[in-house]
Amino acid sequence: MTVEQLTAEERDSWLSGLKGWALTREGKAIQRTFEFGDFSEAFSFMTRVAMIAEARDHHPEWFNVYNRVEITLTTHDADGLSRRDVKMARKIDALLA
Amino acid sequence: MTVEQLTAEERDSWLSGLKGWALTREGKAIQRTFEFGDFSEAFSFMTRVAMIAEARDHHPEWFNVYNRVEITLTTHDADGLSRRDVKMARKIDALLA
């Protein structure tokens, strides 16, 4: 199944509702950096994100060092951003709400 | 407590016993990439590495996308490689033995 890439208008509209996420890779991905008290907290967060990712079959590209987690979301099948990324970003943000 | 940086001789000697790890960052870190069957396997491995890291209070810099995990080890307190990195690399490798 092909996943449709967001139009520039859709992208800007959805993004305006996502606090902390910024466009990267020439608009083909969104990225947010999260900071925690220590590694244990950061990895606990990552574990919850991993479960969301697995359940949705949509996986992040992410980097961690100690208390910092940098998450990049993109949809390879769409060669850019799709609604799956926006929904995933919202799910991730909801973990911290 | 200061952690001592490995001498070039020590480094080369310890590294020769570490399969798959390569020097990076001008010899100040070692890096290895691990590949698994899927995200679930990759993240299970990461969880075990996280426990080792927390127990030793020595944390990796790492990147994951789907089934690939890229681990970089360095000792900030030593501004380079120390025995802690070599021991950690062995512990990580032992998970896959």
Side-chain angles (χ1 to χ4, degrees):
Chain A
M1 194 182 70
T2 308
V3 184
E4 275 192 40
Q5 194 180 118
L6 294 178
T7 64
E9 271 185 7
E10 283 174 323
R11 191 189 66 190
D12 294 343
S13 164
W14 291 80
L15 254 184
S16 66
L18 288 175
K19 205 176 135 194
W21 292 85
L23 284 175
T24 181
R25 298 189 195 166
E26 297 173 342
K28 291 195 168 183
I30 49 176
Q31 190 173 64
R32 183 173 174 185
T33 299
F34 300 84
E35 292 212 359
F36 299 89
D38 56 22
F39 177 75
S40 176
E41 282 182 32
F43 197 77
S44 298
F45 167 73
M46 289 175 74
T47 305
R48 297 186 74 190
V49 172
M51 287 178 188
I52 293 172
E54 194 65 2
R56 305 179 80 84
D57 194 21
H58 191 53
H59 302 88
E61 298 181 26
W62 51 359
F63 173 82
N64 160 247
V65 57
Y66 195 56
N67 67 331
R68 189 160 60 82
V69 181
E70 197 178 284
I71 301 184
T72 304
L73 300 176
T74 187
T75 303
H76 292 288
D77 291 351
D79 187 32
L81 284 169
S82 76
R83 284 169 196 228
R84 303 187 71 187
D85 300 304
V86 180
K87 287 181 182 171
M88 179 90 178
R90 285 185 180 154
K91 283 275 182 191
I92 292 171
D93 287 349
L95 293 177
L96 303 170
Chain B
M1 193 184 70
T2 310
V3 185
E4 276 192 39
Q5 195 180 116
L6 295 179
T7 63
E9 271 186 7
E10 282 173 326
R11 190 188 70 191
D12 294 344
S13 163
W14 291 81
L15 255 183
S16 67
L18 287 175
K19 207 177 134 193
W21 293 84
L23 284 175
T24 182
R25 298 189 194 166
E26 297 174 342
K28 290 194 169 185
I30 50 175
Q31 190 174 63
R32 183 173 173 183
T33 300
F34 300 85
E35 295 212 356
F36 299 89
D38 56 22
F39 177 74
S40 176
E41 281 182 33
F43 197 77
S44 299
F45 167 72
M46 289 176 73
T47 305
R48 298 187 74 190
V49 172
M51 288 178 186
I52 292 172
E54 194 65 1
R56 305 180 80 84
D57 194 22
H58 191 53
H59 302 89
E61 298 182 25
W62 50 358
F63 173 83
N64 161 246
V65 56
Y66 196 56
N67 67 331
R68 190 161 58 83
V69 181
E70 198 177 282
I71 301 183
T72 303
L73 301 175
T74 187
T75 303
H76 293 289
D77 291 349
D79 187 34
L81 285 170
S82 76
R83 284 172 195 226
R84 302 186 71 187
D85 300 304
V86 180
K87 286 180 183 170
M88 179 89 177
R90 283 184 182 156
K91 282 276 183 189
I92 292 171
D93 287 350
L95 293 176
L96 304 169

